[in-house]
Structures are given as structure tokens and as C-alpha cells.
Amino acid sequence: MSVIVIAVGTESGVPIFTRKRGNNENIQFSTIASLHGINMFSKCHNLSVINTLVENGRILWKEYYKSVTLIGIVTGGFECDLELLLSCINDVMVFCVGQKELQNLKNIDQLKRDLRQCYPILDYLLESLDPNAGPPMTLALDLIQSFLCPQSQHLQPVLDNYAEKVTGRWACLSIHGHLVATSSDFYELDPREARLLLLLAAAQSGAPLRDTLVYLPYMSPDVAFRAVTCKLLADVYVLVVCGATPALSEIDEIVLHCWEGYAQMIKEAKLMYPRNFPASIAFEPCVLSIFLVNINRRRCVFSRHLQLTNQKGRGMSGAHRMDILRTFYVTSARDLAPELKYRELPDKEQDNEPIGKMCETYWCSEYHKCHALRSGNLVCCVLYAPTIPTHTMRLLTGQMTQEFLSNKDINW
């Protein structure tokens, strides 16, 4: 599996950055020039190269603001929505430097220096696509990676209070890179913006308290906000988007005042990881992995550690389970939720498209079975052992979905 993303100036062809994940060698300048030349040659003939297939992979070109071209290369049989990945990379660039700087590409050397600050987020994002890299794992680029715990409903008022104290508006708590709780106003943000804030918190390292200027690609692409990230415990971060005041030294005191009484609650929430589901929910031994999507919230939960007791010798690695479920979701199960279909630009007419009536889909093979069911606002994708009968698989998926809808320990 290999993913390579190259950014070049559209007119000049000058490389801006190259980021990669996998076992491929570094891309030579001559290769970058050739890839860009293919795109420019097509434009000169009033044609548009959308993508091309290569041996065991494909390449896609995408131009943004008539100034920056992103080239994505995926090889090794990796199933990924490459157009969506490039759109997310563009969001990260806007998030870090703003849209105007990308549109007015006057000093490309300065842009290259400015974009270095987004490298940790880009690398974190690409690394999360590799199932063999270990946590964090990403199955859907446009959904907010989360885990569910009963403590989240008690942590929301704390986040609201903390945001108010620092004159902020949007705040979230993340554990191991997963969204756990949010402030009341957090869902005013576009889901892609919310995911960028989560990536910012997850990619932070070093200082326990840090502020970063960020641009929200859909709400405010040209005016920067201040995002303050604070490390509460190991792998636990609270992030708030606020104004220029108060100073970091004052925020440090506010954090202590707001959160010192909730350390035990957060530790209890951490115990849900990596299962990512409350202990009150039991899963049958034939259920190998599960991927749950909340359509309205644009949040998802993935787990390959469903059994409360360690069970070895199940014959399929965790990375393989993740790869199967991601392929199943990207190629089949996502069709159960047309609302989640990727659109580069919002379109009111498109938003009024009729929703399809298909509510379930499944795969069967010699080594595993997959089943996905939509019920109301949830899409539940499950990976089963190959020995389970198909009718039993449908029954279990339905029972689990109803449990997710009714269990009081589940709070989105």
C-alpha cells in the first residue's frame, strides 16, 4: 500500500510539497514534471485529465483556485476515495494558510515555507490510512472519527463552561485522536472543519498548551481563528476555538479550574478505547469488526476489539479486518446514505435529490462476510466470520442497530 500526494504550481509546475506514506521510493523531480506536463498538455487542447489507471493503482489530478494542482497516486491495491483525499488535503492547506494565499500565488517560495506548518497534519492523515501503521485508523475521510462512552453527556456541560471562560464558541475533547465530547455549538461547524480541528489536536506534540492560527475552509477561509489545544492527560486533548484573548498563561489557569475535578471521569472514558463502545453492549463472537456511521452528525465509530476478553487465534489480523471493512464501505455500504456522497461544492439543487430506498447490502466470500444496514440515521457495517449463515447475519445486524438506537450509554 502506498499513497503519494504532490502539490505543484499550476502555471509554473514548481513543486510545492510532496508527502507520502508507504514503501515507494521518493518521487524524482523529472517524474513530477512529467505528471504535471500530462495535465498541462491536456489543458492546452481543451481537455481535462481526470484520472488514469496504472499497474495496481491509479493517479488523479485536481486543480484548485486555478493556482495549485494536487496529484494523488495510490498503489498496492489500496481502496481509497482519491478525489475525496485530495479535497481533504486542500482543506488542510486552507486550514493552515488561508485561501487567499493559495489563490494569489505570487511568491511560491514563501508559500512553501508557510505550508510546512501543515506537514504534521498531512502526515498524520496519510498515516491513518495505513491499516498496518496501527492507531489512529481512518475508514472514512469525510467523517469524524469518534468513540462512544456514557461519560460524554456529562462532559458536554464542562466543555460549554470552559469555552465560555475563554470567550470561545466551539470546543471538543479527544482521546487517542477520537472525538469523545463536544460543546453545544460545535456542530455549527462543517463536518470537514470539525475533523480538521480533531486532526490538529491529534497531531499536536510537545507543548502541553499551544495556540494556532487556523482558517475554517467553509465558514471563514480568509479570516483566521485562534485554536487553543491543551493536553489534559496522556492522549487526551481539549481544543477550543476562541478570540485573541485571554493569554495562554490565563488559559492555563482556566484549564486547571475547569477540569481538575473531572480527571477520574476522563480516565473512565479512556477505558472505552480501543473497543470504542460502552461495556454495556455485548457482541456475538462471530462479529469480527464493526463500523457505525451517524449520518446527521457525520460521525463514525470503528472497532476491531469487540470482545471484552482477549480472544486469540481468530485467523484474521486487525489490519486485514480494517482493510476489508473500509473497502466494503467505500465501494458498497456508502450507497445506503446518499447524503454522504462527496460533493466538492454545495449545491442546493443537489441537496434536494431524492434519497434512495436501498437499506441494506452484503458481501459473501470464502474467508469472511460483510453486511450493512441502514436504520433511520444510522448505517451499521459489520464484518462476520465466514461460517455464519446469511439470514443470521441479517438478524444480528438488525439487533445491533436497534441496540445502538436505544442504548442510553450511547451519546453522539
Side-chain angles (χ1 to χ4, degrees), residues 151-266:
Q151 292 80 12
S152 62
Q153 60 181 328
H154 304 294
L155 292 170
Q156 180 176 322
V158 188
L159 282 165
D160 286 332
N161 180 53
Y162 172 60
E164 183 180 353
K165 294 286 186 183
V166 298
T167 64
R169 188 169 182 180
W170 306 297
C172 65
L173 179 74
S174 68
I175 298 178
H176 292 287
H178 294 66
L179 185 66
V180 175
T182 68
S183 61
S184 300
D185 296 333
F186 190 74
Y187 290 104
E188 293 178 357
L189 298 171
D190 186 274
R192 300 270 287 275
E193 294 171 336
R195 189 163 190 275
L196 285 170
L197 292 172
L198 192 66
L199 287 172
L200 175 65
Q204 293 281 13
S205 60
L209 189 64
R210 179 178 298 181
D211 63 350
T212 310
L213 288 180
V214 298
Y215 299 82
L216 301 178
Y218 302 95
M219 181 179 290
S220 180
D222 299 319
V223 179
F225 284 85
R226 180 192 185 201
V228 178
T229 309
C230 176
K231 184 177 181 180
L232 299 181
L233 297 171
D235 299 308
V236 180
Y237 291 89
V238 60
L239 181 144
V240 63
V241 178
C242 59
T245 57
L248 271 184
S249 57
E250 296 179 47
I251 293 179
D252 198 13
E253 297 177 3
I254 295 172
V255 167
L256 183 62
H257 180 264
C258 291
W259 292 98
E260 63 178 348
Y262 295 91
Q264 185 58 38
M265 185 181 294
I266 294 173

Side-chain angles (χ1 to χ4, degrees), residues 137-152:
M137 302 161 294
T138 295
L139 271 80
L141 289 162
D142 54 343
L143 299 176
I144 306 169
Q145 196 93 343
S146 312
F147 75 72
L148 303 172
C149 62
Q151 292 80 12
S152 62

Side-chain angles (χ1 to χ4, degrees), residues 187-392:
Y187 290 104
E188 293 178 357
L189 298 171
D190 186 274
R192 300 270 287 275
E193 294 171 336
R195 189 163 190 275
L196 285 170
L197 292 172
L198 192 66
L199 287 172
L200 175 65
Q204 293 281 13
S205 60
L209 189 64
R210 179 178 298 181
D211 63 350
T212 310
L213 288 180
V214 298
Y215 299 82
L216 301 178
Y218 302 95
M219 181 179 290
S220 180
D222 299 319
V223 179
F225 284 85
R226 180 192 185 201
V228 178
T229 309
C230 176
K231 184 177 181 180
L232 299 181
L233 297 171
D235 299 308
V236 180
Y237 291 89
V238 60
L239 181 144
V240 63
V241 178
C242 59
T245 57
L248 271 184
S249 57
E250 296 179 47
I251 293 179
D252 198 13
E253 297 177 3
I254 295 172
V255 167
L256 183 62
H257 180 264
C258 291
W259 292 98
E260 63 178 348
Y262 295 91
Q264 185 58 38
M265 185 181 294
I266 294 173
K267 290 177 181 178
E268 292 173 0
K270 282 186 69 177
L271 296 176
M272 298 296 105
Y273 182 85
R275 191 173 190 260
N276 299 339
F277 288 95
S280 60
I281 298 179
F283 296 94
E284 295 292 333
C286 60
V287 177
L288 304 182
S289 290
I290 191 166
F291 182 56
L292 184 66
V293 178
N294 184 311
I295 299 171
N296 289 347
R297 295 292 196 184
R298 297 298 198 273
R299 289 176 65 174
C300 65
V301 182
F302 168 73
S303 179
R304 60 188 186 193
H305 304 274
L306 296 172
Q307 309 305 324
L308 293 173
T309 57
N310 291 329
Q311 296 185 5
K312 297 182 179 180
R314 302 184 64 120
M316 188 183 297
S317 69
H320 191 197
R321 295 180 204 176
M322 176 187 173
D323 202 27
I324 292 170
L325 261 187
R326 172 163 43 201
T327 303
F328 176 58
Y329 174 75
V330 170
T331 59
S332 297
R334 190 162 53 183
D335 293 338
L336 301 181
E339 307 97 313
L340 298 178
K341 184 179 179 182
Y342 166 67
R343 299 184 181 96
E344 185 176 348
L345 294 174
D347 188 327
K348 293 181 179 179
E349 293 183 1
Q350 287 182 336
D351 288 342
N352 292 328
E353 290 179 353
I355 304 301
K357 294 182 179 180
M358 186 172 69
C359 63
E360 65 178 314
T361 183
Y362 67 94
W363 283 359
C364 292
S365 80
E366 182 181 353
Y367 306 103
H368 60 265
K369 292 183 179 181
C370 295
H371 184 245
L373 173 68
R374 174 171 180 168
S375 179
N377 187 43
L378 295 183
V379 174
C380 182
C381 307
V382 189
L383 175 65
Y384 290 98
T387 54
I388 184 174
T390 302
H391 65 274
T392 306

